[in-house]
């Protein structure tokens, strides 16, 4: 702006310094040292003329939020009415109040109008109405707060006097007089999604009466903008907090091995018992852990898969609680397939690709081949949800070539001390073939492997091509070099001969592991023994131990592998949030 102009009623006077050349010449030049002083005549009613207006002191009104994202609601931040991403950005942040303060007859706090516990306020964002003026507003004047219809579907605004939200778009705000502050608590109801970009606007207006037949007119407006925190996934490179696993009538030995590994690492173990899992052992497939974050508060949030097996009640009944949120997406007019299980949902560690930074990593999902006319896909409602979070831009891989169809059957990430601070592990039929060919050439061709002679193994070129296609996508989308990838020796077989055959791992799939810091829980492959030791275990240790990783091989053959799953499929890990703040992301 270079110029400004002034319009005021007759009893209001102003002075501009430095002195303007001509009081009536507008617009006035706007200079760095311009000062505008406004004064008002004191006029009172007289006994003879009741129509003389009464002058009122000017009222200061400001609707304030934590626009500078430091956890404190500052006064009248000039950027409070807009949103900008990045470390120099601005705009307030709102959490979805998706936990439950109640542990009995649980209900999401966002679905309850009243506030049952003071701790529930911590899950909301504070907003303050600051005023400084007369004891009362002139007759007919009032303050109102209003939101749009779209906004109303995604937030509630609470204090102990008024509520603006799904059923009320506008509401009169009490004016308390003098120099006062009125606190409000803003509650997010929904995560960003296909039809909601996460931005919330709240407006405040001072209205003046305009006569019986005319609507009230705003003489002052103020607004604030919030962005709802996205749901954020945690990669294998973040520190574990708690490990989740099921207890079934046939996995005692497996459970004992997991327990020993977790205790050795010093983390917590939570066991879902049979009365809750009803025989459904696939903990990874039922849920995915993430979190939400704001400058004043953060807490973990579990995303419940639409697969809804016999574990379907576990995330809500056993995980949801105070400061542990819950969210799910239900498939609408779509058939839920195996690709909707969350073994088919992973996230990379932080990466930089062609100069673009992804400090929270990138979500990875498995789908049908892009040119396929038919095939299984993750339901669109889940894909839409993941894309709408924005901060972990998803990558789609081809996983429908597998019988189960999950990305964790052929890939995972492990921490590393060098390069990009991680390695991508890929299942490699070629690497498997080389191990067995080497054994054969060295006189071990008759050694038993997984109760089958080694000469019966074959490598399907189709499966190798499928993995190599995904390898190229991952290299491009994650900015990886060949040195960032380690090939693990995994062979696949066709489960049934069909026109369009799909694959399963021939022996326990070692890439389907649990990562607990530098400790790896790897499916025991039962490879041929050479000098008393499994040759496959020896090969994997030689690839991973130089990175400082420790390999523990877990027997999951009967309770998991034969049911087409492995260690990772049967476990889940709650991890610490990333230290990077999502609002500092450059978008």
């Amino acid at each position: 702006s270079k110029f400004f102009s002034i319009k005021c009623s007759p009893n209001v006077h102003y002075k501009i310094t430095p002195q303007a050349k001509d009081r009536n010449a507008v617009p006035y030049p706007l200079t760095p040292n311009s000062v505008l002083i406004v004064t008002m005549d004191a006029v009172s009613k007289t006994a003879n003329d009741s129509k003389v207006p009464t002058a009122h002191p000017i009222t200061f009104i400001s609707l304030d939020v934590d626009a500078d994202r430091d956890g404190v609601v500052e006064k009248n931040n000039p950027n409070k009415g807009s949103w900008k991403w990045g470390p120099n950005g601005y705009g307030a942040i709102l959490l979805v109040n998706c936990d439950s303060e109640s542990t009995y007859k649980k209900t999401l706090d966002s679905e309850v109008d009243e506030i049952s516990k003071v701790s529930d306020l911590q899950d909301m964002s504070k907003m303050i109405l600051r005023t400084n003026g007369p004891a009362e507003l002139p007759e007919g004047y009032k303050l109102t707060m209003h939101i749009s219809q779209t906004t109303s579907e995604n937030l509630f605004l609470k204090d102990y006097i008024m509520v603006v939200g799904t059923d009320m778009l506008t509401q009169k705000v009490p004016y308390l007089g003098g120099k006062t502050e009125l606190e409000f608590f803003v509650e997010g109801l929904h995560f960003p999604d296909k039809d909601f970009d996460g931005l919330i606007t709240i407006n405040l207006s001072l209205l003046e009466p305009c006569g019986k037949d005319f609507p009230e007119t705003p003489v002052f407006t103020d607004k604030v903008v919030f962005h709802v925190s996205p749901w954020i996934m945690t990669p294998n490179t973040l520190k574990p907090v708690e490990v989740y696993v099921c207890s079934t009538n046939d996995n005692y030995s497996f459970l004992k091995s997991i327990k020993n590994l977790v205790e050795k690492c010093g983390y917590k173990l939570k066991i879902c018992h049979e009365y809750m899992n009803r025989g459904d052992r696939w903990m990874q497939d039922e849920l995915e852990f993430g979190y939400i974050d704001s400058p004043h508060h953060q807490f973990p949030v579990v995303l419940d898969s639409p697969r809804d097996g016999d574990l379907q009640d576990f995330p809500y009944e056993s995980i949801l609680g105070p400061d542990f949120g819950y969210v799910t997406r239900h498939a609408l007019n779509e058939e839920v397939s195996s690709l909707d299980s969350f073994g088919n949902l992973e996230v990379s560690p932080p990466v930089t690709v062609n100069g673009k930074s992804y400090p929270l990593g990138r979500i990875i999902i498995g789908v049908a081949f892009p040119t396929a006319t038919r095939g299984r896909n993750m339901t669109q409602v889940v894909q839409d949800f993941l894309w709408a979070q924005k901060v972990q831009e998803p990558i789609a891989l081809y996983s429908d070539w597998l019988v189960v169809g999950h990305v964790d059957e052929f890939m995972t990430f492990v921490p590393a001390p060098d390069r990009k601070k991680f390695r991508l592990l890929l299942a490699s039929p070629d690497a498997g073939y080389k191990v067995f060919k080497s054994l054969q050439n060295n006189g071990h061709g008759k050694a038993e492997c997984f109760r089958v002679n080694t000469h019966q193994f074959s490598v399907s070129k189709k499966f190798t091509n499928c993995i190599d296609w995904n390898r190229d996508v991952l290299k491009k989308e994650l900015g990886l070099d060949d040195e960032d990838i380690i090939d693990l020796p995994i062979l696949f077989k066709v489960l049934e001969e069909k026109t369009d055959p799909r694959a399963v791992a021939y022996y326990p799939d070692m890439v389907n592991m649990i990562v607990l810091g530098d400790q790896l829980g790897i499916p025991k492959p039962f490879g041929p023994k050479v000098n008393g030791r499994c040759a496959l275990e020896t090969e994997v240790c030689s690839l991973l131990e130089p990175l400082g990783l420790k390999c523990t091989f877990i027997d999951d053959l009967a309770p998991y592998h034969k049911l087409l799953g492995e260690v990772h499929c049967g476990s889940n890990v709650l991890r610490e949030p990333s230290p990077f703040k999502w609002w500092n992301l450059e978008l």
Side-chain angles (χ1 to χ4, degrees):
S1 299
K2 295 183 178 180
F3 300 92
F4 69 97
S5 60
I6 303 169
K7 182 181 179 181
C8 53
S9 53
N11 62 322
V12 176
H13 310 286
Y14 64 89
K15 180 181 179 182
I16 299 172
T17 58
Q19 186 68 39
K21 294 178 181 179
D22 182 358
R23 175 184 172 86
N24 298 315
V26 290
Y28 300 110
L30 183 61
T31 61
N33 58 349
S34 294
V35 176
L36 170 65
I37 300 172
V38 180
T39 58
M40 195 176 205
D41 291 341
V43 182
S44 60
K45 293 182 181 179
T46 67
N48 299 325
D49 188 357
S50 61
K51 295 183 179 180
V52 176
T54 301
H56 293 269
I58 294 175
T59 300
F60 168 80
I61 304 171
S62 179
L63 189 62
D64 292 329
V65 292
D66 178 21
D68 61 2
R69 306 167 181 169
D70 64 353
V72 179
V73 177
E74 64 273 11
K75 292 184 180 180
N76 209 22
N77 188 308
N79 297 315
K80 64 185 180 181
S82 56
W83 171 270
K84 181 182 177 183
W85 292 87
N88 298 315
Y90 42 77
I93 292 162
L94 187 62
L95 296 176
V96 177
N97 194 10
C98 59
D99 65 340
S100 174
E101 299 301 321
S102 171
T103 54
Y104 176 69
K105 291 187 177 179
K106 296 179 183 179
T107 304
L108 296 182
D109 290 341
S110 58
E111 296 176 357
V112 180
D113 290 349
E114 67 275 4
I115 299 170
S116 59
K117 294 183 180 179
V118 175
S119 57
D120 194 23
L121 298 178
Q122 183 71 14
D123 303 333
M124 306 178 199
S125 293
K126 187 182 291 186
M127 182 173 69
I128 300 177
L129 171 59
R130 293 184 169 104
T131 58
N132 188 1
E136 296 179 354
L137 290 174
E139 184 178 354
Y141 283 73
K142 65 180 180 181
L143 282 173
T144 64
M145 198 169 290
H146 50 102
I147 56 179
S148 67
Q149 180 67 50
T150 303
T151 292
S152 75
E153 297 168 358
N154 297 297
L155 96 150
F156 251 45
L157 189 146
K158 301 180 178 181
D159 70 350
Y160 297 101
I161 303 169
M162 61 162 287
V163 173
V164 175
T166 50
D167 300 321
M168 187 79 69
L169 299 183
T170 184
Q171 178 69 282
K172 182 178 178 181
V173 180
Y175 176 77
L176 303 181
K179 187 176 182 179
T180 57
E181 293 187 355
L182 183 60
E183 288 188 351
F184 296 87
F185 294 91
V186 186
E187 175 186 56
L189 302 182
H190 297 121
F191 284 93
D193 214 325
K194 181 181 179 180
D195 53 357
F196 173 46
D197 64 3
L199 290 172
I200 296 287
T201 300
I202 302 175
N203 304 278
L204 178 77
S205 294
L206 174 62
L207 304 179
E208 68 174 354
C210 293
K212 183 179 178 182
D213 299 324
F214 296 94
E216 298 162 319
T217 304
V219 294
F220 169 80
T221 59
D222 205 3
K223 74 173 182 178
V224 294
V225 171
F226 290 89
H227 196 299
V228 176
S229 169
W231 178 78
I232 305 169
M233 286 181 65
T234 52
N236 285 350
T237 48
L238 288 174
K239 184 179 179 182
V241 175
E242 192 168 26
V243 177
Y244 289 71
V245 68
C246 288
S247 170
T248 62
N249 61 9
D250 62 351
N251 78 338
Y252 175 79
S253 177
F254 172 85
L255 194 61
K256 184 177 179 181
S257 298
I258 291 288
K259 185 177 180 181
N260 291 339
L261 178 62
V262 173
E263 287 179 351
K264 180 170 66 174
C265 298
Y267 305 124
K268 296 178 182 177
L269 178 66
K270 183 162 186 176
I271 299 174
C272 175
H273 296 283
E274 287 182 76
Y275 73 88
M276 176 62 74
N277 66 52
R278 299 189 291 274
D280 184 353
R281 66 199 67 208
W282 309 114
M283 183 63 76
Q284 183 67 222
D285 291 336
E286 183 60 38
L287 57 96
E288 188 69 55
F289 288 116
Y291 68 96
I292 56 177
D293 195 10
S294 75
H296 72 279
H297 194 41
Q298 68 175 203
F299 56 82
V301 176
V302 60
L303 175 63
D304 191 359
S305 164
R307 78 183 275 267
D308 287 342
D310 287 333
L311 264 173
Q312 62 178 326
D313 296 332
F314 178 72
Y316 195 94
E317 296 297 332
S318 298
I319 298 180
L320 171 65
D323 278 346
F324 209 128
Y326 172 92
V327 62
T328 190
R329 286 294 178 268
H330 300 287
L332 302 173
N333 304 318
E334 286 185 275
E335 183 179 345
V336 174
S337 74
S338 175
L339 272 67
D340 290 298
S341 297
F342 285 163
N344 197 33
L345 174 61
E346 296 298 324
V347 64
S348 79
V351 291
T352 299
V353 186
N354 296 326
K356 183 175 180 181
S357 178
Y358 299 91
L360 295 169
R362 298 188 66 179
I363 285 172
I364 297 169
I365 63 171
V367 296
F369 196 73
T371 59
T373 54
R374 60 188 178 87
R376 301 167 298 172
N377 272 299
M378 181 179 283
T379 51
Q380 197 60 47
V381 68
V382 175
Q383 292 196 53
D384 289 342
F385 174 80
L386 296 173
W387 274 97
Q389 307 315 303
K390 290 185 180 178
V391 296
Q392 297 176 303
E393 185 181 331
I395 301 167
L397 298 181
Y398 172 40
S399 66
D400 193 34
W401 61 279
L402 292 152
V403 170
V404 177
H406 296 175
V407 293
D408 70 353
E409 295 178 77
F410 61 85
M411 60 160 291
T412 194
F413 298 95
V414 294
D418 57 354
R419 296 188 64 78
K420 296 179 174 65
K421 302 302 180 184
F422 71 88
R423 292 289 192 278
L424 166 64
L425 307 186
L426 283 180
S428 171
D430 281 347
Y433 177 78
K434 288 177 183 176
V435 169
F436 288 105
K437 191 65 177 175
S438 174
L439 290 172
Q440 189 181 61
N441 292 340
N442 291 316
H444 302 288
K446 297 296 183 181
E448 282 196 353
C449 172
F450 192 43
R451 305 193 184 109
V452 180
N453 288 338
T454 58
H455 71 273
Q456 295 182 19
F457 282 105
S458 63
V459 179
S460 169
K461 190 63 179 173
K462 175 185 175 180
F463 303 150
T464 300
N465 289 343
C466 292
I467 293 174
D468 285 345
W469 191 89
N470 288 315
R471 178 195 304 270
D472 291 341
V473 172
L474 289 165
K475 286 174 69 174
K476 177 184 176 183
E477 297 293 339
L478 297 179
L480 303 181
D481 300 318
D482 289 333
E483 293 78 11
D484 299 314
I485 302 173
I486 295 176
D487 291 319
L488 296 191
I490 312 294
L491 294 179
F492 293 90
K493 66 176 181 179
V494 176
L495 187 63
E496 297 176 17
E497 291 294 342
K498 299 178 181 177
T499 352
D500 186 20
R502 291 189 170 99
V504 296
Y506 200 103
Y507 47 81
D509 186 350
M510 294 179 287
V511 80
N512 193 278
M513 63 179 69
I514 184 173
V515 180
L516 302 176
D518 61 358
Q519 299 281 345
L520 309 179
I522 306 172
K524 189 175 181 62
F526 294 97
K529 286 190 175 182
V530 176
N531 299 323
R533 188 180 179 189
C534 169
L536 290 171
E537 291 184 19
T538 301
E539 177 68 11
V540 168
C541 289
S542 72
L543 295 170
L544 300 180
E545 287 179 350
L547 299 174
L549 301 171
K550 302 172 182 65
C551 303
T552 299
F553 293 90
I554 297 174
D555 181 358
D556 71 352
L557 180 60
Y560 291 90
H561 175 76
K562 289 186 176 180
L563 298 177
L564 307 185
E566 309 288 358
V567 172
H568 186 259
C569 305
S571 60
N572 217 313
V573 184
L574 173 68
R575 299 180 186 276
E576 291 184 353
S578 168
F580 182 85
K581 300 303 180 183
W582 63 267
W583 52 88
N584 289 329
L585 190 65
E586 297 279 6
L587 285 183

